[in-house]
Each structure stands twice: as C-alpha cells, then as structure tokens.
C-alpha cells in the first residue's frame, strides 16, 4: 500500500503566456504562446506526490465554473482522492503567468474559491487528516486554515510540512511548533526571517532563525544551486543536478511533493531531498505547472550529464 500524503491547499487554473522577456510597468508586449494549464501550489504538490509514488488526498475548494471541473479532473487523472475538494459557487482560483526566454516567470494569483477553504471545511474532513502519514500546507488559502491544519496535524502526530509560499512577511509565531519541515525558497526565507538571503551564509542565518522560532527542520531551496538542510545541529548542502531550464514554474512544488512522497515511503531525509532535487530538475526542463512534473520512472531513469 503506498504511503498517504494529504495536501491542504490551493487549486488554480494557470493562464500562461510565453514572451521574450517579462513586461515592465505600463508596457504591452507581444506574447509567443498561450495555454491554460492546471496548477496551484497545493494541487501541484499533490500531483507531484502522486506521480512519485504516494497515495494522495487533497483538501481544497474550486468554483462551480469550467475551470473547477477541469481542476478536479486533473486530480482524478492522477488517481488523487478529491472527495474533499469542495465545489462552491463562484470562480475557481486563477494564476496569470508570464514565462520569459530565460525560463523565469512572474505570477499574479487571484484566490477565487481558494479563499473559501475555511478551517471548518478542513475540520469536516478530519478522517482524511487522520489517515495521513504526511500533511502538506502552503499559503494560497486563508492563514486561519493553514494554522488549523498545521496544529491538527501536530495533534494527530503526523509529519507536517509547510511550504510558506507565497510569503510576504513573518509567519504567525504560534505555527512554528507544529511544523516538522519548513521548506521556503530564498525569497520566502528572507520574508519569514527578515534577513536578506542571497548566499550560503545568509541562508544558514535565516534557517537558524526559523529553527530558533520553533520549526523542527528547515530546507531552503536555492534553485539551480540546490538546497540547504538545517536541523539546529548541522547544515547540509545538496547540489542540484545540472539541466537546461525552459520553465521554472512549479519546480518548488515538485520538490515539496517529491520530498513528502519519499519521506512517507520511509526514505531518509537525505534520500528524500536528493529525490526531490532530481524531480525538480526534471520539471524545469518542461513547460507548465502540472504537465512538467515527472513520474517515478522519469526520476529513476535520470542520470546527471
Ligand atoms: O508554484 C507554481 C504555482 O503558483 C502555479 O501553478 C500557480 O498556480 C501559482 O499558484
């Protein structure tokens, strides 16, 4: 029986254009392509965990529009349990994404139905949380709901992961004691800690501060540089495999979902981080959010060049 990962989080339809570069304020650019692609940090992490070997349930909300139907359909296609993805009146979450020729992106999200994922909705699916081995949250649903899910996960004795994305400032102080693994990227680590994070030393300083705040362990993802693991006693660096990136959208989500799936399957932290890094590296070689996420056989077949 595969291990059980439960994701409490967002589902968005991504409206993606490719352009030579990101537009400046007030500027109109001619794009090269347009696509609608299932995304949302929560759903992306659920898809990553499922493609990489975990049995996955998702708790979230979509609107009663065509996007909502497609977003639930995308979970169904991955055999993800979506009985706890409620359909509510109104629009689904959307993300407006521009990807440039250097594979960087700019994203604006509109929460839509994700804003309706109240703590009471999650509490109504407590049996799903109880069945979890690992619970993952992000920050695209109301903070009250994230706080509830983290604390309930801790009460139930589950492994609790928070990917604090997108982050605009410090986290509520009373969340930290419920977090086993806090997984920010550099800018999120900076927003959470209030420290600039742009080097190994500064990533270590931020990670130490987040552990002092109460997080169990911190993994700062450093993009093409790999990731930094910190547990309060030591720092470990995990270099990223070298690949040709065409679109970094959902690379962080792929890392988080892959890490959770590997951890739930009983792998060590080091194995789970390395596994996550290969999965994330593969994801940046493909376009889009969910379409870019590799399968277990893709990861197993990967050999660094
Ligand atoms: O992390 C990538 C995701 O961020 C996209 O799929 C988009 O929906 C936004 O939530």
């Amino acid at each position: 029986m595969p291990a059980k990962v439960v994701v409490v989080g967002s589902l968005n339809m991504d409206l993606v254009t490719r352009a030579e570069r990101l537009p400046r304020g007030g500027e109109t650019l001619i794009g090269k392509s347009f696509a609608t692609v299932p995304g949302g940090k929560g759903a992306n992490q659920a898809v990553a965990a499922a493609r990489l070997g975990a049995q996955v349930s998702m708790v979230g909300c979509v609107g009663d529009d065509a996007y909502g139907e497609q977003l639930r359909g995308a979970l169904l296609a991955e055999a993800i349990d979506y009985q706890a993805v409620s359909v509510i009146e109104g629009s689904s979450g959307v993300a407006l994404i521009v990807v440039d020729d250097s594979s960087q992106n700019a994203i604006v999200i509109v929460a839509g139905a994700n804003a309706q994922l109240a703590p009471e909705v999650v509490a109504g699916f407590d049996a799903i949380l109880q069945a979890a081995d690992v619970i993952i949250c992000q920050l695209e649903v109301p903070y009250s709901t994230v706080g509830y899910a983290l604390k309930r996960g801790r009460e139930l004795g589950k492994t609790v992961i928070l990917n604090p994305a997108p982050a605009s400032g410090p986290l509520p102080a009373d969340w930290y004691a419920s977090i086993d693994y806090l997984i920010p990227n550099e800018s999120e680590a900076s927003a959470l800690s209030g420290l600039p994070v742009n080097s190994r030393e500064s990533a270590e300083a931020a990670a130490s501060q987040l552990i002092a705040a109460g997080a169990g362990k911190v993994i700062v993802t450093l993009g093409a540089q790999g990731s930094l693991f910190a547990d309060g006693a030591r720092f470990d660096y995990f270099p990223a495999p070298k690949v040709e990136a065409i679109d970094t959208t959902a690379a962080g989500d792929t890392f988080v979902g892959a890490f959770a799936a590997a951890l739930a399957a009983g792998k060590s932290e080091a194995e789970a981080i390395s596994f996550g890094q290969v999965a994330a590296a593969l994801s940046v070689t493909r376009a889009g959010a969910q379409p870019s996420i590799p399968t277990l056989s893709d990861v197993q077949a990967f050999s660094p060049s």
Side-chain angles (χ1 to χ4, degrees), residues 12 14 39-41 44 95 97 107 109 140 249-250 253 289:
N12 294 329
D14 292 353
K41 294 183 193 303
N44 295 343
I97 303 182
I107 304 181
I109 58 167
E140 287 186 333
T249 309
D253 299 331

